[in-house]
Amino acid sequence: MLADARAFFADRGVLEVETPTLSAAAPSDPQIEPLSAGISGFARRFYLCTSPEYAMKRLLAAGSGDIYQISKVFRDEEHGRWHNPEFTMVEWYRLGLDDGALMRETEALLARLLGPYRRLAAAQRLTYAEALERHAGVDIYMASEAQLAQAAARLGIDCPANLDRDARLDLLMALIVGPKLGRNDTPTFICDYPPSQASLARIKRGVRPVAARFELYLDGLELANGFHELCDAAEQRARFEQDLALRRSRGQPLPPFDMRLLDALGHGLPDCAGVALGFDRVVALAVGADSLSAAMAFPIGNA
């Protein structure tokens, strides 16, 4: 399957690159906790890569053109049936594509990887709003925080009172909506996320602005997360600062954000779309494994 992934990108003229596993910076995303390490001779700590995204964007800004990477990534507090602190990620960036075009390419890669093992139907697309309405009975535009908590309770979910609006939506997506997606061999893309969940995606302006972000599901598992990438350095800095403010309010660690990435965005990131695919989960779906550890030779308990 790794060979198939590399052949897929070679056929499209996408360059394989390698970026550092250790970095002086870490993602500010409150949903991701990095692992860190001390290195003799350095006063600061270094962070194990949670995604090669920042370094790959620095390459893009330097003129690399279309690139991909298959790398080990590391995340703290991620250990369970479908999580392992160390896992394999396939991440790629395509110049001149938007999120819609990248969804089509992501579907093609999934078909290439799973083709020898199972026959997939054409992918389905649902907006974030459509998915929450269809599978949780929630109107994300009209529901208040209290109504989101009531919907969670109706569906058997305990929704802590201290959760904000996005956290309540995340709870519904993770526990109710996600497990219903991508069934009957039909990959499902969820797209057009709320602007407050844009992460590193640009915003599509309109009567109801949405983030140019998508996620891919199959058999109820999230496999990929992609964006029509944000190229505005000032907006990216503002989002980093908002993330750190949220981390501070939650008592989470405050890792240094990546000034080199902001410099690269300031220099000029070409118009592009990028996506990260959880390779181990795809392997698990190929072999019919009922957990991530069953598809890995050395899960964390056997590392």
Side-chain angles (χ1 to χ4, degrees):
M1 289 175 71
L2 284 169
D4 279 342
R6 288 189 162 94
F8 178 89
F9 292 114
D11 290 345
R12 287 160 173 76
V14 182
L15 176 69
E16 183 172 12
V17 297
E18 184 177 88
T19 57
T21 299
L22 286 172
S23 171
S28 57
D29 188 336
Q31 308 304 320
I32 297 175
E33 289 300 337
L35 291 162
S36 65
I39 298 178
S40 178
F42 290 87
R44 66 173 182 262
R45 294 189 69 77
F46 287 80
Y47 295 88
L48 287 166
C49 176
T50 62
S51 161
E53 179 167 6
Y54 293 0
M56 292 181 77
K57 285 182 174 177
R58 288 166 60 187
L59 292 177
L60 290 164
S64 66
D66 295 333
I67 53 175
Y68 82 97
Q69 184 168 188
I70 300 174
S71 60
K72 291 291 185 181
V73 295
F74 306 85
R75 298 183 181 183
D76 199 4
E77 300 181 2
E78 295 203 7
H79 184 210
R81 182 182 176 192
W82 294 110
H83 293 86
N84 195 68
E86 176 184 352
F87 60 101
T88 302
M89 182 177 286
V90 182
E91 186 154 336
W92 73 100
Y93 293 85
R94 299 285 262 134
L95 274 58
L97 297 191
D98 62 9
D99 49 316
L102 192 59
M103 278 188 263
R104 291 191 291 273
E105 186 163 82
T106 304
E107 180 182 1
L109 175 61
L110 186 66
R112 175 74 174 261
L113 296 178
L114 290 181
Y117 307 95
R118 55 193 292 187
R119 185 184 299 275
L120 299 180
Q124 174 188 42
R125 293 191 191 183
L126 292 173
T127 67
Y128 185 91
E130 289 170 340
L132 267 292
E133 177 71 38
R134 179 178 300 184
H135 295 296
V138 169
D139 184 335
I140 68 168
Y141 299 111
M142 302 300 293
S144 65
E145 288 190 11
Q147 288 170 327
L148 291 176
Q150 291 167 5
R154 169 174 52 81
L155 294 164
I157 299 173
D158 179 27
C159 187
N162 64 341
L163 295 184
D164 61 21
R165 182 180 182 79
D166 277 322
R168 295 178 187 206
L169 288 171
D170 279 345
L171 202 60
L172 289 168
M173 177 60 80
L175 299 181
I176 300 298
V177 179
K180 296 178 180 178
L181 301 174
R183 296 297 177 178
N184 301 316
D185 289 319
T186 304
T188 300
F189 288 98
I190 302 300
C191 57
D192 294 350
Y193 277 66
S196 56
Q197 297 185 33
S199 187
L200 298 167
R202 62 181 67 191
I203 303 299
K204 300 178 186 178
R205 303 301 173 185
V207 176
R208 283 178 169 159
V210 293
R213 174 187 173 189
F214 66 84
E215 289 187 344
L216 171 63
Y217 288 80
L218 183 62
D219 292 356
L221 274 179
E222 179 204 338
L223 299 181
N225 188 20
F227 312 121
H228 191 183
E229 300 294 342
L230 179 67
C231 297
D232 185 324
E235 172 63 20
Q236 189 62 73
R237 176 187 283 274
R239 292 189 193 179
F240 281 163
E241 290 171 348
Q242 289 169 3
D243 284 347
L244 291 179
L246 183 56
R247 278 181 164 274
R248 191 176 292 109
S249 71
R250 294 178 176 178
Q252 294 176 272
L254 303 176
F257 58 68
D258 197 332
M259 293 303 301
R260 292 187 176 97
L261 171 63
L262 295 178
D263 288 343
L265 294 180
H267 175 73
L269 184 71
D271 180 33
C272 63
V275 59
L277 175 77
F279 184 78
D280 306 281
R281 290 187 176 186
V282 179
V283 173
L285 294 183
V287 300
D290 63 357
S291 68
L292 203 65
S293 62
M296 303 176 78
F298 301 103
I300 191 64
N302 193 33

